[in-house]
Amino acid sequence: MDLIEIKSQGNLLDSNMTTKKEISIAINGIFGKMGSTVFSAANNEKDIVTVAGIDPVVEKINNRFSVPVHVNIEQMSKVSMPDVMVDFTNGKVAGKSISEALSKGIHVVSGSTGLSDKEYSVLEKISINNNVGFISAPNFAIGAILLMHISGIASEYFDYADLIESHHEMKIDSPSGTAISILESMTKDKSGDFKSNKAEIEDEIKNTRGGNYKNINVHSARMPGRVARHEVVFGALGQTLTLIHDSINRESFMPGVMLCVRKVKDFSGQGVIFGLDKVLGLGKNEH
């Protein structure tokens, strides 16, 4: 199997060869679809270089990347210490990996969802104590973040709203982390409550109105052919307003990921920075 090639890393060894230091990254979950996409995206950036991957399945399959892939962060740290760890795993394993990286002084950019409030509280303390940056974002597509922001503005002018989100059939959480963030944006600064009608007759098929978040009806679809779609529909007398964002492929997330890799150091010691909107300057730096 051919190696996935990477640009030369020689200027990491000799600071005289470049006028601008490259940001070195390790990719946690490099064998996953998002991890391999991050590798390819970083390889096209002049100031970002991948020096390692982390994935426990490397013991079972051949490493197709042209950088070392380690089973865990402890093993990696004996060989290299990157500036940033980019994490695309899941809530079952992400917490431990992020904790280990932050404890070693490695900044973290994570797209993993499913971590509990308790886990984030622990990671917040570790980030502050080690003076490192930690950005956790459910979605790195800049268009999706703008959808979230605009939905928060529009919510003040409508009393009815539905949210429909669609993802590929392998997504393990429902609703998506992005959907939850959109819902929070829609309700955070709204002066009144949303309204939701109750079906009087629902005998044939139960729960056809979907889930309910503060009177916003939420619908999740999971099927092949989708990457990610989020649709917010506002309703008022005689009109509707529909906002849709589609991620056609995983490359749509990469500009946001690379932006966070460059910016995460700026948030050193500030705890968990939730959401790409903080990095874009669309929201207050609250955590």
Side-chain angles (χ1 to χ4, degrees):
M1 183 178 295
D2 293 336
L3 290 177
I4 298 179
E5 296 298 333
I6 186 169
K7 59 180 175 282
S8 171
Q9 301 172 36
N11 53 356
L12 286 178
L13 303 176
D14 187 352
S15 59
N16 294 323
M17 295 176 63
T18 181
T19 58
K20 184 177 181 181
K21 182 183 182 297
E22 289 179 328
I23 303 169
S24 60
I25 68 170
I27 302 171
N28 190 31
I30 193 169
F31 287 129
K33 292 180 179 179
M34 281 298 295
S36 59
T37 305
V38 171
F39 183 92
S40 297
N43 200 28
N44 291 324
E45 301 295 326
K46 294 181 179 180
D47 60 334
I48 298 172
V49 59
T50 306
V51 296
I54 307 157
D55 207 310
V57 302
V58 71
E59 294 183 323
K60 300 178 181 179
I61 63 176
N62 293 327
N63 176 19
R64 67 185 187 274
F65 298 95
S66 57
V67 295
V69 177
H70 308 279
V71 295
N72 53 45
I73 293 173
E74 186 63 35
Q75 184 187 87
M76 178 200 69
S77 66
K78 296 177 181 178
V79 180
S80 61
M81 287 291 288
D83 299 314
V84 180
M85 181 182 79
V86 179
D87 167 67
F88 278 99
T89 52
N90 58 65
K92 295 181 180 179
V93 299
K96 184 175 185 296
S97 297
I98 295 170
S99 173
E100 291 177 352
L102 294 174
S103 297
K104 293 182 181 298
I106 301 171
H107 304 288
V108 174
V109 173
S110 176
S112 297
T113 57
L115 278 73
S116 67
D117 290 341
K118 183 178 180 180
E119 287 177 300
Y120 276 121
S121 179
V122 172
L123 296 173
E124 170 119 346
K125 293 178 182 177
I126 297 173
S127 172
I128 293 172
N129 291 340
N130 290 276
N131 194 35
V132 287
F134 175 26
I135 298 174
S136 177
N139 196 315
F140 287 91
I142 293 174
I145 306 308
L146 291 173
L147 168 63
M148 189 184 307
H149 183 67
I150 296 168
S151 295
I153 296 173
S155 291
E156 183 63 24
Y157 304 96
F158 293 89
D159 290 331
Y160 289 84
D162 275 34
L163 189 152
I164 306 100
E165 56 96 356
S166 305
H167 284 77
H168 54 89
E169 77 281 13
M170 300 301 291
K171 187 167 180 61
I172 64 174
D173 55 334
S174 175
S176 67
T178 299
I180 293 172
S181 295
I182 293 172
L183 294 167
E184 291 172 345
S185 177
M186 292 169 67
T187 55
K188 180 180 178 182
D189 296 321
K190 185 173 172 59
S191 57
D193 296 328
F194 279 103
K195 299 176 182 178
S196 177
N197 70 310
K198 304 296 182 182
E200 295 183 15
I201 301 174
E202 197 178 8
D203 293 333
E204 295 295 326
I205 303 175
K206 301 295 183 182
N207 303 317
T208 54
R209 293 289 287 129
N212 188 289
Y213 179 90
K214 297 183 178 180
N215 286 332
I216 303 171
N217 292 101
V218 185
H219 315 268
S220 296
R222 297 290 179 266
M223 64 185 68
R226 287 280 191 212
V227 174
R229 163 178 277 217
H230 293 87
E231 177 179 356
V232 181
V233 183
F234 294 100
L237 185 63
Q239 63 177 312
T240 61
L241 171 64
T242 302
L243 306 172
I244 299 175
H245 178 264
D246 276 304
S247 282
I248 307 303
N249 53 43
R250 290 174 177 80
E251 283 76 12
S252 65
F253 306 117
M254 294 304 106
V257 173
M258 297 300 113
L259 175 65
C260 288
V261 167
R262 295 184 177 98
K263 294 289 188 180
V264 64
K265 185 179 179 181
D266 296 343
F267 297 99
S268 294
Q270 296 185 31
V272 187
I273 304 302
F274 288 105
L276 185 58
D277 58 315
K278 310 298 191 304
V279 183
L280 294 172
L282 295 176
K284 295 180 180 179
N285 188 13
E286 298 173 346
H287 54 274

